[in-house]
Amino acid sequence: MGLIEWGATICALVYLYYAIKNKSICFIYGMIGSALWAVASYSAHLFFDTGLQVFYIGMSAYGIYNWNKGSQNEKELPISTYSLYVHVRIVLVGLSVSGFLIYLSQNSSIIQLPILDAITTVFLVIGTILLVQRKLFSWLYLVAADVVYLYIYGQSGLWLFVGVMVIYIVFGIVGYRAWNKAMLSTD
């Protein structure tokens, strides 16, 4: 475990702490941590995960703006949710995109765990988009993908990242509860 993995881990945990606290500064740590995480994932031949980290960097920049001035009246964006119908559509689109990525990676011998890497990447993208939009169930999409990442990172020998995923799972549940409480208190 090198400095890059440790730096990514520390930034990821600080990001998570501030995200749960509903503070937009989380995205600064998200950018730095994602850049370091991308380097580690690339080295482990997790190319979908590498692309995901690059996506996170862009989403972090957007998140800073959206959380602070993303509502129609240029005030802080409130926490909200979608209907079950919308979530079913989101999951179906996610599975379709995952299938496409799996198809593209079938003939690649350099992508490690292409099926799991594709599915988790797609659902982490979805969870991140929902998080930036301050959608309550973003936390559940992220937790579900993080559970699968326990296996992926373990198989890749990225044991520190396995530890981070355990923390992400626990804090994802805490984040969901905190955001749910905050959402209910503003109604």
Side-chain angles (χ1 to χ4, degrees):
M1 290 181 241
L3 286 176
I4 292 174
E5 198 174 341
W6 276 105
T9 299
I10 291 167
C11 287
L13 294 175
V14 173
Y15 159 80
L16 187 58
Y17 171 79
Y18 283 120
I20 290 170
K21 295 290 186 184
N22 214 10
K23 304 287 183 193
S24 64
I25 193 168
C26 70
F27 294 113
I28 300 295
Y29 291 98
M31 281 187 225
I32 298 166
S34 293
L36 296 171
W37 202 298
V39 172
S41 292
Y42 184 82
S43 298
H45 299 275
L46 295 170
F47 299 121
F48 289 133
D49 189 50
T50 303
L52 177 66
Q53 300 307 318
V54 172
F55 169 78
Y56 283 163
I57 294 167
M59 288 303 288
S60 290
Y62 176 66
I64 292 169
Y65 167 78
N66 200 48
W67 276 31
N68 291 318
K69 299 191 186 280
S71 69
Q72 291 179 346
N73 56 5
E74 293 290 314
K75 292 186 179 176
E76 185 178 277
L77 189 66
I79 298 168
S80 61
T81 191
Y82 287 132
S83 69
L84 177 61
Y85 174 74
V86 171
H87 285 289
V88 168
R89 288 182 20 206
I90 289 170
V91 169
L92 291 175
V93 168
L95 291 173
S96 298
V97 173
S98 296
F100 178 70
L101 290 178
I102 292 165
Y103 172 77
L104 289 178
S105 65
Q106 278 182 336
N107 295 323
S108 173
S109 61
I110 61 171
I111 298 176
Q112 185 174 330
L113 304 168
I115 294 170
L116 294 178
D117 196 15
I119 293 168
T120 51
T121 297
V122 168
F123 281 92
L124 285 172
V125 166
I126 290 168
T128 301
I129 291 168
L130 296 176
L131 183 84
V132 169
Q133 294 174 352
R134 279 200 169 150
K135 297 298 181 187
L136 174 64
F137 287 96
S138 63
W139 291 102
L140 300 182
Y141 286 93
L142 297 170
V143 165
D146 291 343
V147 167
V148 178
Y149 262 112
L150 291 171
Y151 177 78
I152 292 172
Y153 288 138
Q155 288 295 308
S156 302
L158 297 170
W159 297 108
L160 191 55
F161 287 178
V162 169
V164 171
M165 289 301 109
V166 170
I167 294 168
Y168 266 28
I169 291 164
V170 171
F171 281 17
I173 295 166
V174 170
Y176 172 81
R177 293 172 122 184
W179 279 30
N180 190 43
K181 183 178 178 182
M183 187 179 76
L184 293 174
S185 70
T186 60
D187 289 341

